[in-house]
Amino acid sequence: MLLAIDIGNTNITLGLYQGEELGPRWRIATDPQRMPDEYGISIVNLLSFSGYSPAQVDAVVMASVVPPLTGTLVQAVQSYLGQKPLVVDSSVQTGVRVRYDDPSQVGADRIVDAAAVHKLYGGPACVVDFGTATTFDAITVEGDYLGGAIAPGIGIASEALFQRAAKLPKVELQRPPAAIGRNTVHSMQSGLLFGYVGLVEGMVARFRAELGPQMKVIGTGGLAELIARETPVIEIIAPWLTLDGLRIIWELNR
């Protein structure tokens, strides 16, 4: 079985594949202070909880946007699963031609997402990833990664309001009763949720103007479903897109 690991700034997402079928998946907190043994034990415990043993994992593929943690997870996988992981970097075949001014500046997760979209949905496409940052990525009909846009994530915006405005509380990110909030909590929820819906709709319109009217829009990340419920512009919700892309890249390099 293939274990795919996506190391993000906020969460580490893991998924176990039997062939092309994604089985159990997990999210754990990203913590650069944790040691390889701690992550190794966590992975073993997650596998065991779902009824699998480390011996059943015969390959591991990994993408990381947190360089200090890459080596930590590689060591954890080698020590506890007995596997040398394939780490997605510039030396790995991805099937994606990067047309960024400096390809080395593109995060591995964005290339992995592009590989998944090209294989599973085809282009032209815009991937909206609701993570620590909210990113928009443009993929051509040929599967080339053109570039994109990066905005602060909803969580970052919410935390900034709480930290920088003395009278604003922390709020749960959920749909308020109406766009016009009648109290502080509902006003913040409206600004965060509907504000980001407006951001998505505006950016998608601009990307479509450049990529063409046939552009597909794929939403991924933990908040994709919440945002997609408020706008018709997100056509496909693919919460595990990066894991699928990791599997696809592993198959290209096996």
Side-chain angles (χ1 to χ4, degrees):
M1 304 183 80
L2 172 68
L3 180 65
I5 304 176
D6 172 29
I7 305 170
N9 288 295
T10 304
N11 297 309
I12 298 173
T13 307
L14 306 93
L16 196 60
Y17 283 89
Q18 179 72 57
E20 296 184 0
E21 182 178 351
L22 177 59
R25 52 267 185 191
W26 313 275
R27 280 194 175 102
I28 58 178
T30 299
D31 183 358
Q33 303 304 314
R34 295 184 74 186
M35 303 300 290
D37 288 330
E38 294 178 275
Y39 276 114
I41 291 170
S42 293
I43 292 171
V44 170
N45 286 341
L46 290 170
L47 289 168
S48 299
F49 181 78
S50 297
Y52 297 91
S53 72
Q56 290 176 274
V57 178
D58 51 24
V60 179
V61 60
M62 179 186 304
S64 173
V65 296
V66 189
L69 266 183
T70 306
T72 299
L73 266 294
V74 167
Q75 187 176 338
V77 166
Q78 290 176 331
S79 297
Y80 285 82
L81 301 182
Q83 300 293 330
K84 181 179 180 180
L86 173 68
V87 180
V88 177
D89 58 23
S90 58
S91 67
V92 171
Q93 183 180 354
T94 63
V96 175
R97 183 171 61 170
V98 180
R99 291 166 57 181
Y100 225 48
D101 290 342
D102 182 357
S104 67
Q105 293 183 351
V106 184
D109 56 338
R110 302 175 80 182
I111 301 304
V112 171
D113 285 351
V117 167
H118 178 54
K119 176 78 171 181
L120 300 175
Y121 306 108
C126 171
V127 180
V128 188
D129 190 342
F130 299 94
T132 306
T134 298
T135 60
F136 301 81
D137 295 308
I139 297 96
T140 69
V141 68
E142 296 85 11
D144 295 353
Y145 177 85
L146 282 182
I150 304 172
I154 302 178
I156 289 176
S158 177
E159 191 66 25
L161 280 175
F162 170 70
Q163 290 182 350
R164 302 294 292 272
K167 297 187 71 174
L168 295 183
K170 279 190 175 182
V171 298
E172 183 180 356
L173 186 59
Q174 62 182 26
R175 194 186 201 279
I180 300 174
R182 299 301 181 92
N183 57 56
T184 300
V185 169
H186 289 168
S187 295
M188 292 177 66
Q189 290 172 333
S190 176
L192 290 166
L193 179 57
F194 298 135
Y196 269 83
V197 168
L199 167 69
V200 170
E201 291 175 340
M203 291 301 297
V204 165
R206 290 175 180 271
F207 272 52
R208 182 165 277 124
E210 297 184 28
L211 286 177
Q214 303 305 313
M215 183 189 81
K216 305 177 183 72
V217 182
I218 298 102
T220 189
L223 296 173
E225 292 188 20
L226 177 66
I227 300 297
R229 284 198 292 267
E230 304 298 333
T231 176
V233 303
I234 298 179
E235 301 163 307
I236 300 165
I237 300 174
W240 310 108
L241 185 70
T242 307
L243 296 182
D244 286 336
L246 285 168
R247 174 187 60 79
I248 290 164
I249 290 173
W250 177 79
E251 290 173 349
L252 285 173
N253 291 270
R254 61 188 303 180

